[in-house]
Amino acid sequence: MSYLGVGVSPGNVPVYYGTNVKLIDKRVRVAELVLRCLICGLGVLAAVLVATDSQVKEIFSIQKKARFTDMKVLVFLVVANCIAAAYSFVQVVRCVVSMVRGNVLVSKPLAWAIFSGDQVMAYMTVAAVAASAQSAAISKLGLPELQWMKLCNMYGKFCNQVGEGVASAVIVSLSMVALSCISAFSVFRLYGGGNKGKSSARW
Amino acid sequence: MSYLGVGVSPGNVPVYYGTNVKLIDKRVRVAELVLRCLICGLGVLAAVLVATDSQVKEIFSIQKKARFTDMKVLVFLVVANCIAAAYSFVQVVRCVVSMVRGNVLVSKPLAWAIFSGDQVMAYMTVAAVAASAQSAAISKLGLPELQWMKLCNMYGKFCNQVGEGVASAVIVSLSMVALSCISAFSVFRLYGGGNKGKSSARW
């Protein structure tokens, strides 16, 4: 296992490449910051796109309005993306503050809290996207065997906007999954390489 | 941080409770085995319940048959649960073999592979359950705003059996999430407490 460019030779003699570690550590932190900003932005975008979407259609002189609240799963998508965006915003602030202060390593309890938070967010956004994608697929393709008709023929503009929202939410959920991997690494690092002075040989 | 009963006093003197570690380690391994067996059994049960489900209904002398293949999301649920069950079966065999041989710790690459595998399975089963639960909810409650009618009034027996399958799949996905936490701990342990002889003081 040679995470962060730290190699352990098969014999026993561990080698510690300080500069490499710093460089890769910096890259990981930048990647984390970029992903969190992306989630924050796209989470808000997805929530706004879905929540502001509506279309009025006149059928035999009866006006029908399609809204995101007609499908409870879209409400779940909006809420999940708002929570993910708010959480990411807080994390972005934390990242920036720790970068400005130059604290490379967070404390163990904080690393654990971030890891747990990222995991919860990742599962939540994946669940919201999966459920919404399922409804979106039925709306687009219909289910003739069950007499569930296509909605996108009728509410084309509404459907497209929801589709854009779901696409943003897909990127949010994939970014959350990637982030939860990064935060797992951050916890491992604290256990494996945190006490560099004392026992870098552990690597 | 005092995982596995290993305490670090605030001053500095780390204390290593060997017996406690062994006891808690054994409990964690038993919990892992139980969860993997549960996933294997309930995964197969969910797949069988959904895949064997069908109901024929006569409407105005026309016979209509409801099958799980009518909803693609149920096919995804069956496939995801089959994969999770097969994966868990392999893991159960590995757990039993390592218990019989008395190998308490797995190698780092293997621990990483298990951690990654558990994560993938957890996300996959959560996505499958979320999408299926969404379809199940529409089938049960209907969406009158969108003219998607309730199906469970018509295909009661079919719906109930799918509901039982989805319930099993929910337990499978929750167990997979719990397992991915356990396997994360297993990786941490290798970095934090693996080289006990060398540096138990790290705790």
Side-chain angles (χ1 to χ4, degrees), chain B residues 145-192:
Chain B
E145 298 89 346
L146 310 177
Q147 278 86 48
W148 289 354
M149 61 178 185
K150 295 180 196 181
L151 297 172
C152 293
N153 292 353
M154 212 156 84
Y155 298 106
K157 178 245 155 197
F158 178 81
C159 260
N160 284 343
Q161 194 167 323
V162 166
E164 288 158 12
V166 172
S168 299
V170 168
I171 303 176
V172 168
S173 67
L174 292 179
S175 306
M176 270 313 325
V177 171
L179 255 182
S180 71
C181 294
I182 290 183
S183 58
F185 274 111
S186 301
V187 179
F188 298 148
R189 188 177 49 186
L190 286 178
Y191 286 89

Side-chain angles (χ1 to χ4, degrees), chain B residues 108-123:
Chain B
K108 281 181 185 175
L110 182 59
W112 273 96
I114 295 167
F115 173 63
S116 310
D118 286 351
Q119 287 272 313
V120 170
M121 292 293 145
Y123 286 119

Side-chain angles (χ1 to χ4, degrees), chain A residues 3-184:
Chain A
Y3 168 54
L4 291 179
V6 180
V8 179
S9 72
N12 309 313
V13 195
V15 192
Y16 196 84
Y17 304 107
T19 358
N20 267 2
V21 172
K22 273 188 187 165
L23 186 70
I24 296 172
D25 182 62
K26 200 179 168 188
R27 281 186 192 161
V28 169
R29 287 157 63 79
V30 169
E32 184 185 348
L33 189 63
V34 168
L35 280 173
R36 294 203 189 276
C37 288
L38 191 76
I39 291 166
C40 193
L42 288 182
V44 171
L45 181 70
V48 169
L49 276 172
V50 175
T52 59
D53 197 11
S54 72
Q55 188 176 1
V56 179
K57 200 91 187 177
E58 202 161 305
I59 305 162
F60 303 123
S61 79
I62 300 164
Q63 279 205 336
K64 288 210 73 171
K65 191 174 186 181
R67 274 171 306 199
F68 83 107
T69 47
D70 291 342
M71 272 192 192
K72 293 295 166 278
V73 72
L74 293 183
V75 179
F76 174 36
L77 187 72
V78 169
V79 172
N81 275 280
C82 284
I83 293 174
Y87 171 82
S88 293
F89 179 73
V90 173
Q91 291 288 347
V92 165
V93 172
R94 181 195 57 76
C95 281
V96 171
V97 167
S98 76
M99 272 180 166
V100 169
R101 284 191 185 165
N103 299 338
V104 179
L105 291 169
V106 293
S107 67
K108 281 180 185 177
L110 182 59
W112 273 97
I114 295 168
F115 173 63
S116 310
D118 287 352
Q119 287 272 313
V120 170
M121 291 294 146
Y123 286 118
M124 187 186 67
T125 50
V126 165
V129 160
S132 310
Q134 165 60 11
S135 287
I138 300 176
S139 303
K140 183 82 185 162
L141 307 168
L143 260 180
E145 299 88 346
L146 310 176
Q147 279 84 47
W148 288 355
M149 61 177 185
K150 295 179 196 182
L151 297 172
C152 293
N153 292 353
M154 213 156 83
Y155 298 105
K157 179 245 155 199
F158 178 80
C159 260
N160 283 344
Q161 195 166 324
V162 167
E164 288 157 13
V166 172
S168 298
V170 168
I171 304 175
V172 168
S173 67
L174 292 178
S175 306
M176 270 314 323
V177 171
L179 257 182
S180 71
C181 294
I182 290 181
S183 58

Side-chain angles (χ1 to χ4, degrees), chain B residues 62-136:
Chain B
I62 299 165
Q63 280 204 335
K64 287 209 75 173
K65 191 173 185 180
R67 276 171 304 200
F68 82 106
T69 46
D70 291 342
M71 272 193 193
K72 293 294 166 280
V73 73
L74 293 183
V75 179
F76 174 36
L77 187 72
V78 169
V79 171
N81 275 281
C82 285
I83 294 174
Y87 170 81
S88 294
F89 179 74
V90 173
Q91 292 288 347
V92 165
V93 172
R94 181 195 58 75
C95 282
V96 171
V97 167
S98 76
M99 273 180 166
V100 170
R101 285 193 186 165
N103 299 337
V104 178
L105 291 167
V106 292
S107 68
K108 281 181 185 175
L110 182 59
W112 273 96
I114 295 167
F115 173 63
S116 310
D118 286 351
Q119 287 272 313
V120 170
M121 292 293 145
Y123 286 119
M124 187 185 67
T125 50
V126 165
V129 160
S132 311
Q134 164 60 10
S135 287

